[in-house]
Amino acid sequence: MSNRIFILDFGSQYTQVIARRIRELNVYSEILRYDTPATVIGSLRGAGIILSGGPSSVYSSKAPLPDPRIFDLGLPILGICYGMQLMGHLLEGGKVQKSERREYGYGELKLVGKSPLFKKLPKTLDIWNSHGDHLTKMPKGFVAIGKTLNAPHAAIEHPSKKFFGLQFHPEVAHTPRGKEVIANFVLGVCKAEQTWTMKSFIKSTCEEIKRQVGKDKVILGLSGGVDSSVAAALLHKAIGKQLECIFVDNGLLRHDERAKVEELFGKHMKLNLYTADAENIFLRKLKGVTDPETKRKIIGNEFVYEFQRATKKVGKAKFLAQGTLYPDVIESVAIGDNPAAVIKSHHNVGGLPKNMKFALVEPLRQLFKDEVRLVGEELGLPKEMVWRHPFPGPGLAVRCLGDITKEKLRILRDADRVVIEEMKKSGWYYKVWQSFAVLLPVRSVGVMGDERTYDYTIAIRIVQSQDGMTANWVKIDQDVLGNMSSRIINEVKGVNRVVYDISSKPPATIEWE
């Protein structure tokens, strides 16, 4: 794939954003570890290289440094922030020092001369900075093509080698014309062809799956969520009846989830689908358990056990397919050990045991979440399936606070159904990241008719997010909330109070447990 752009990751929080910006140009981008050998990059026949930003100082003894031979590959290179400082530090004649005045936030870039990087852009650009070091002396052969109030070398270029450095971040939304700067580099300087489309992805991935799998059987754990559903549709297109899907009904699913999965994938798409009916087993294991982490571990362990049992029912297979996405893959690219605090176990049940000796098939591992949805549309999956809101692996167990019972799950499931129905009816469903109901372990006094009630409370959670890492509560129409509340209290037996969660993430999480 000679049209791809390689991004060397030096720990920037915006590395994935760079990759997205390039893919929005219909050019494939690939994130690599910062220290990927130049020989490897050269063998992959890319069109250009981007050096990401990062939190380090280039002159630190622990600074992540690239293989210096990347500058001898003959490929155009764009250094962003820390990436630009690397050029100043590693190339002959350059010098980087700590700034007397740190630049953070909005700034103004004044262009100097003409550069292909700023083709068809005005002489002054609003930009966004985030750096404490700056280039005090340009490397040999470089010229300044942009300056700010505090930095005479805020943008630099080596015309003959096609090396560029930017002290600001063109990839973020706070740099309004930044997308055009990236486009000028990718399309204008690197001459990358715009061949990355979901149609081309499906075609090439199906060919790759056929080569990998041959005539062997593939097993896929189908949850009904977006990732596994799209993976199933893609694998089915590639290998047809060689695919065996396993759906584990743990009794913690949304309203009519099992019926919808069996209808779409079993009856409509004619996939080989085996349903493991394990509701009673899961509920028995969860009886009396109130600690969220214990719930998650019980569900995760039991899922593995039930999945193992199911694989024996569908027959011998050589391959296991997973809906792994690109953000999952590039976590291994990050520098250092990144000892982040464990807030809670991940929502998605994963980590099948090593004694399940399958070779992995991961057809979506090149894609971001939004691209997965586009693939689903291209494959003809229903809009309701492709654009449905995220659902945690442990299911309703992490939305039913306190101990789990069949009756509580019935209440929660019915309340959640009302929330989703009203979101769709009002047109809000496809405008937000996630909406759902939570059953609180709280009972309060109410009055229905002339009778006193002492029933549960339902919390409604509606958030907007880009990727689930941060989220804001949605200021939804009060009439919509009113309809939800009225319907839940009137239609769902066991509820007499509804509240709206107006917490953002952070400090709260999206899910309650």
Side-chain angles (χ1 to χ4, degrees), residues 95-144:
K95 190 174 183 181
V96 176
Q97 290 181 313
K98 187 176 181 64
S99 302
E100 290 183 9
R101 185 176 175 184
R102 187 170 186 263
E103 286 191 300
Y104 182 85
Y106 288 100
E108 191 175 77
L109 180 77
K110 293 187 181 298
L111 303 188
V112 178
K114 287 187 177 181
S115 170
L117 204 61
F118 299 123
K119 187 177 180 181
K120 295 184 178 179
L121 289 171
K123 287 294 183 182
T124 302
L125 296 174
D126 290 329
I127 59 171
W128 196 79
N129 295 295
S130 179
H131 61 92
D133 298 331
H134 70 291
L135 186 71
T136 56
K137 187 178 179 183
M138 289 185 292
K140 185 178 178 182
F142 279 80
V143 295

Side-chain angles (χ1 to χ4, degrees), residues 382-396:
K383 181 180 180 181
E384 181 184 352
M385 176 68 72
V386 172
W387 292 96
R388 72 187 317 186
H389 292 175
F391 189 62
L396 297 181

Side-chain angles (χ1 to χ4, degrees), residues 296-366:
R296 289 171 179 274
K297 287 172 183 174
I298 289 171
I299 294 166
N301 291 338
E302 191 57 37
F303 174 85
V304 169
Y305 178 69
E306 293 301 325
F307 192 86
Q308 280 182 302
R309 287 180 59 186
T311 58
K312 296 172 184 176
K313 298 281 182 72
V314 300
K316 190 175 181 181
K318 183 178 178 180
F319 293 92
L320 173 70
Q322 293 184 338
T324 309
L325 303 192
Y326 198 46
D328 303 322
V329 174
I330 62 178
E331 282 181 357
S332 62
V333 172
I335 10 181
D337 297 325
N338 191 25
V342 176
I343 307 302
K344 57 186 177 182
S345 303
H346 197 271
H347 298 323
N348 297 314
V349 178
L352 293 174
K354 294 178 181 177
N355 61 1
M356 294 183 71
K357 297 184 179 181
F358 293 108
L360 278 182
V361 179
E362 298 173 309
L364 307 179
R365 71 192 314 273
Q366 293 178 319

Side-chain angles (χ1 to χ4, degrees), residues 33-44:
R33 275 187 61 93
Y34 69 94
D35 54 358
T36 300
T39 51
V40 172
I41 297 172
S43 69
L44 295 172

Side-chain angles (χ1 to χ4, degrees), residues 147-180:
K147 61 181 180 179
T148 64
L149 186 63
N150 298 311
H153 310 131
I156 61 174
E157 175 187 350
H158 192 303
S160 62
K161 291 187 176 181
K162 297 182 180 179
F163 292 170
F164 302 85
L166 299 175
Q167 190 62 81
F168 63 93
H169 288 271
E171 71 273 24
V172 300
H174 306 305
T175 300
R177 307 294 293 268
K179 291 182 182 180
E180 293 162 78

